[in-house]
mmCIF file of all heavy atoms in Angstrom:
data_model
loop_
_atom_site.group_PDB
_atom_site.id
_atom_site.type_symbol
_atom_site.label_atom_id
_atom_site.label_comp_id
_atom_site.label_asym_id
_atom_site.label_seq_id
_atom_site.Cartn_x
_atom_site.Cartn_y
_atom_site.Cartn_z
ATOM 1 N N LYS Z 11 -4.818 -15.502 -9.239
ATOM 2 C CA LYS Z 11 -4.473 -14.326 -8.611
ATOM 3 C C LYS Z 11 -4.239 -14.468 -7.129
ATOM 4 O O LYS Z 11 -3.229 -13.776 -6.616
ATOM 5 C CB LYS Z 11 -6.017 -13.447 -8.628
ATOM 6 C CG LYS Z 11 -6.117 -12.689 -9.893
ATOM 7 C CD LYS Z 11 -7.386 -11.785 -9.943
ATOM 8 C CE LYS Z 11 -8.023 -11.517 -8.713
ATOM 9 N NZ LYS Z 11 -9.319 -10.600 -8.835
ATOM 10 N N SER Z 12 -4.762 -15.445 -6.453
ATOM 11 C CA SER Z 12 -4.471 -15.575 -5.052
ATOM 12 C C SER Z 12 -3.050 -16.180 -4.825
ATOM 13 O O SER Z 12 -2.219 -15.737 -4.036
ATOM 14 C CB SER Z 12 -5.460 -16.374 -4.282
ATOM 15 O OG SER Z 12 -5.499 -17.750 -4.742
ATOM 16 N N LEU Z 13 -2.693 -17.137 -5.760
ATOM 17 C CA LEU Z 13 -1.361 -17.707 -5.662
ATOM 18 C C LEU Z 13 -0.248 -16.618 -6.038
ATOM 19 O O LEU Z 13 0.830 -16.646 -5.428
ATOM 20 C CB LEU Z 13 -1.209 -18.839 -6.714
ATOM 21 C CG LEU Z 13 -1.891 -20.179 -6.250
ATOM 22 C CD1 LEU Z 13 -1.744 -21.158 -7.381
ATOM 23 C CD2 LEU Z 13 -1.307 -20.692 -4.896
ATOM 24 N N SER Z 14 -0.538 -15.807 -7.009
ATOM 25 C CA SER Z 14 0.341 -14.717 -7.358
ATOM 26 C C SER Z 14 0.502 -13.792 -6.112
ATOM 27 O O SER Z 14 1.706 -13.269 -5.913
ATOM 28 C CB SER Z 14 -0.212 -13.904 -8.565
ATOM 29 O OG SER Z 14 0.612 -12.876 -8.998
ATOM 30 N N ALA Z 15 -0.514 -13.358 -5.540
ATOM 31 C CA ALA Z 15 -0.422 -12.475 -4.384
ATOM 32 C C ALA Z 15 0.353 -13.082 -3.246
ATOM 33 O O ALA Z 15 1.289 -12.478 -2.611
ATOM 34 C CB ALA Z 15 -1.811 -12.137 -3.841
ATOM 35 N N GLU Z 16 0.156 -14.360 -3.024
ATOM 36 C CA GLU Z 16 0.986 -15.120 -1.971
ATOM 37 C C GLU Z 16 2.444 -15.212 -2.344
ATOM 38 O O GLU Z 16 3.253 -14.887 -1.483
ATOM 39 C CB GLU Z 16 0.493 -16.532 -1.822
ATOM 40 C CG GLU Z 16 -0.820 -16.698 -1.196
ATOM 41 C CD GLU Z 16 -1.342 -18.107 -1.217
ATOM 42 O OE1 GLU Z 16 -0.667 -18.981 -1.380
ATOM 43 O OE2 GLU Z 16 -2.597 -18.215 -0.852
ATOM 44 N N ARG Z 17 2.705 -15.336 -3.626
ATOM 45 C CA ARG Z 17 4.145 -15.468 -4.064
ATOM 46 C C ARG Z 17 4.716 -14.079 -3.897
ATOM 47 O O ARG Z 17 5.923 -13.901 -3.519
ATOM 48 C CB ARG Z 17 4.334 -15.942 -5.512
ATOM 49 C CG ARG Z 17 3.775 -17.204 -5.727
ATOM 50 C CD ARG Z 17 4.902 -18.315 -5.365
ATOM 51 N NE ARG Z 17 4.256 -19.653 -5.165
ATOM 52 C CZ ARG Z 17 3.871 -20.576 -5.969
ATOM 53 N NH1 ARG Z 17 3.687 -20.100 -7.323
ATOM 54 N NH2 ARG Z 17 3.424 -21.745 -5.660
ATOM 55 N N ARG Z 18 4.051 -12.944 -4.246
ATOM 56 C CA ARG Z 18 4.666 -11.603 -4.143
ATOM 57 C C ARG Z 18 4.877 -11.248 -2.657
ATOM 58 O O ARG Z 18 5.982 -10.765 -2.380
ATOM 59 C CB ARG Z 18 3.590 -10.596 -4.692
ATOM 60 C CG ARG Z 18 3.761 -10.522 -6.184
ATOM 61 C CD ARG Z 18 3.018 -9.217 -6.728
ATOM 62 N NE ARG Z 18 1.557 -9.207 -6.309
ATOM 63 C CZ ARG Z 18 0.654 -9.708 -7.075
ATOM 64 N NH1 ARG Z 18 0.869 -10.347 -8.229
ATOM 65 N NH2 ARG Z 18 -0.684 -9.597 -6.658
ATOM 66 N N GLU Z 19 4.034 -11.735 -1.750
ATOM 67 C CA GLU Z 19 4.145 -11.470 -0.310
ATOM 68 C C GLU Z 19 5.509 -12.187 0.158
ATOM 69 O O GLU Z 19 6.279 -11.634 0.972
ATOM 70 C CB GLU Z 19 2.974 -11.862 0.480
ATOM 71 C CG GLU Z 19 1.742 -10.929 0.198
ATOM 72 C CD GLU Z 19 0.522 -11.539 0.900
ATOM 73 O OE1 GLU Z 19 0.598 -12.562 1.654
ATOM 74 O OE2 GLU Z 19 -0.591 -10.899 0.675
ATOM 75 N N GLU Z 20 5.585 -13.420 -0.301
ATOM 76 C CA GLU Z 20 6.737 -14.290 0.175
ATOM 77 C C GLU Z 20 7.994 -13.636 -0.383
ATOM 78 O O GLU Z 20 8.993 -13.628 0.263
ATOM 79 C CB GLU Z 20 6.616 -15.771 -0.379
ATOM 80 C CG GLU Z 20 7.700 -16.615 0.060
ATOM 81 C CD GLU Z 20 7.941 -16.830 1.558
ATOM 82 O OE1 GLU Z 20 6.869 -16.616 2.293
ATOM 83 O OE2 GLU Z 20 8.932 -17.085 1.963
ATOM 84 N N ALA Z 21 7.975 -13.174 -1.630
ATOM 85 C CA ALA Z 21 9.154 -12.508 -2.200
ATOM 86 C C ALA Z 21 9.509 -11.282 -1.414
ATOM 87 O O ALA Z 21 10.838 -11.084 -1.201
ATOM 88 C CB ALA Z 21 8.920 -12.278 -3.719
ATOM 89 N N ALA Z 22 8.598 -10.490 -1.083
ATOM 90 C CA ALA Z 22 8.778 -9.373 -0.319
ATOM 91 C C ALA Z 22 9.431 -9.657 1.076
ATOM 92 O O ALA Z 22 10.348 -9.063 1.516
ATOM 93 C CB ALA Z 22 7.501 -8.554 -0.095
ATOM 94 N N ARG Z 23 8.797 -10.694 1.700
ATOM 95 C CA ARG Z 23 9.551 -11.174 2.968
ATOM 96 C C ARG Z 23 10.872 -11.529 2.806
ATOM 97 O O ARG Z 23 11.844 -11.224 3.658
ATOM 98 C CB ARG Z 23 8.757 -12.261 3.594
ATOM 99 C CG ARG Z 23 7.549 -11.892 4.497
ATOM 100 C CD ARG Z 23 7.028 -13.025 5.332
ATOM 101 N NE ARG Z 23 6.503 -14.095 4.382
ATOM 102 C CZ ARG Z 23 5.219 -14.162 3.997
ATOM 103 N NH1 ARG Z 23 4.335 -13.260 4.355
ATOM 104 N NH2 ARG Z 23 4.828 -15.208 3.282
ATOM 105 N N GLN Z 24 11.200 -12.270 1.763
ATOM 106 C CA GLN Z 24 12.519 -12.657 1.524
ATOM 107 C C GLN Z 24 13.489 -11.674 1.262
ATOM 108 O O GLN Z 24 14.792 -11.627 1.683
ATOM 109 C CB GLN Z 24 12.539 -13.809 0.400
ATOM 110 C CG GLN Z 24 11.962 -15.159 0.768
ATOM 111 C CD GLN Z 24 12.692 -15.757 1.858
ATOM 112 O OE1 GLN Z 24 13.786 -15.802 2.056
ATOM 113 N NE2 GLN Z 24 11.897 -16.425 2.803
ATOM 114 N N ARG Z 25 12.970 -10.615 0.567
ATOM 115 C CA ARG Z 25 13.847 -9.456 0.262
ATOM 116 C C ARG Z 25 14.126 -8.682 1.491
ATOM 117 O O ARG Z 25 15.334 -8.268 1.737
ATOM 118 C CB ARG Z 25 13.112 -8.465 -0.800
ATOM 119 C CG ARG Z 25 13.228 -8.929 -2.208
ATOM 120 C CD ARG Z 25 12.802 -7.804 -3.140
ATOM 121 N NE ARG Z 25 11.425 -7.436 -2.925
ATOM 122 C CZ ARG Z 25 10.346 -7.954 -3.493
ATOM 123 N NH1 ARG Z 25 10.491 -8.963 -4.282
ATOM 124 N NH2 ARG Z 25 9.154 -7.553 -3.169
ATOM 125 N N LEU Z 26 13.166 -8.676 2.392
ATOM 126 C CA LEU Z 26 13.429 -7.957 3.681
ATOM 127 C C LEU Z 26 14.400 -8.730 4.521
ATOM 128 O O LEU Z 26 15.334 -8.059 5.086
ATOM 129 C CB LEU Z 26 12.101 -7.773 4.401
ATOM 130 C CG LEU Z 26 12.229 -7.144 5.815
ATOM 131 C CD1 LEU Z 26 12.692 -5.654 5.642
ATOM 132 C CD2 LEU Z 26 10.787 -7.171 6.387
ATOM 133 N N ILE Z 27 14.298 -9.965 4.562
ATOM 134 C CA ILE Z 27 15.219 -10.855 5.244
ATOM 135 C C ILE Z 27 16.679 -10.619 4.783
ATOM 136 O O ILE Z 27 17.685 -10.479 5.623
ATOM 137 C CB ILE Z 27 14.880 -12.342 5.236
ATOM 138 C CG1 ILE Z 27 13.495 -12.557 6.030
ATOM 139 C CG2 ILE Z 27 15.932 -13.178 5.802
ATOM 140 C CD1 ILE Z 27 12.904 -13.880 5.900
ATOM 141 N N ARG Z 28 16.827 -10.652 3.503
ATOM 142 C CA ARG Z 28 18.185 -10.535 2.883
ATOM 143 C C ARG Z 28 18.790 -9.120 3.177
ATOM 144 O O ARG Z 28 19.943 -8.969 3.505
ATOM 145 C CB ARG Z 28 18.046 -10.756 1.295
ATOM 146 C CG ARG Z 28 18.022 -12.169 0.964
ATOM 147 C CD ARG Z 28 18.317 -12.408 -0.501
ATOM 148 N NE ARG Z 28 17.430 -11.706 -1.312
ATOM 149 C CZ ARG Z 28 16.248 -12.069 -1.901
ATOM 150 N NH1 ARG Z 28 15.856 -13.334 -1.580
ATOM 151 N NH2 ARG Z 28 15.520 -11.337 -2.650
ATOM 152 N N ARG Z 29 17.825 -8.046 3.137
ATOM 153 C CA ARG Z 29 18.283 -6.741 3.413
ATOM 154 C C ARG Z 29 18.734 -6.668 4.805
ATOM 155 O O ARG Z 29 19.782 -5.995 5.172
ATOM 156 C CB ARG Z 29 17.148 -5.750 3.226
ATOM 157 C CG ARG Z 29 17.446 -4.799 1.995
ATOM 158 C CD ARG Z 29 16.397 -3.736 1.911
ATOM 159 N NE ARG Z 29 15.443 -4.175 0.877
ATOM 160 C CZ ARG Z 29 14.120 -4.187 0.909
ATOM 161 N NH1 ARG Z 29 13.568 -3.625 1.956
ATOM 162 N NH2 ARG Z 29 13.300 -4.581 -0.048
#
Side-chain angles (χ1 to χ4, degrees):
K11 276 184 18 180
S12 66
L13 286 174
S14 177
E16 288 174 14
R17 298 271 161 75
R18 280 193 301 273
E19 290 172 9
E20 180 63 25
R23 272 194 298 271
Q24 290 299 321
R25 282 192 300 272
L26 178 61
I27 290 169
R28 283 194 301 269
R29 251 186 258 138

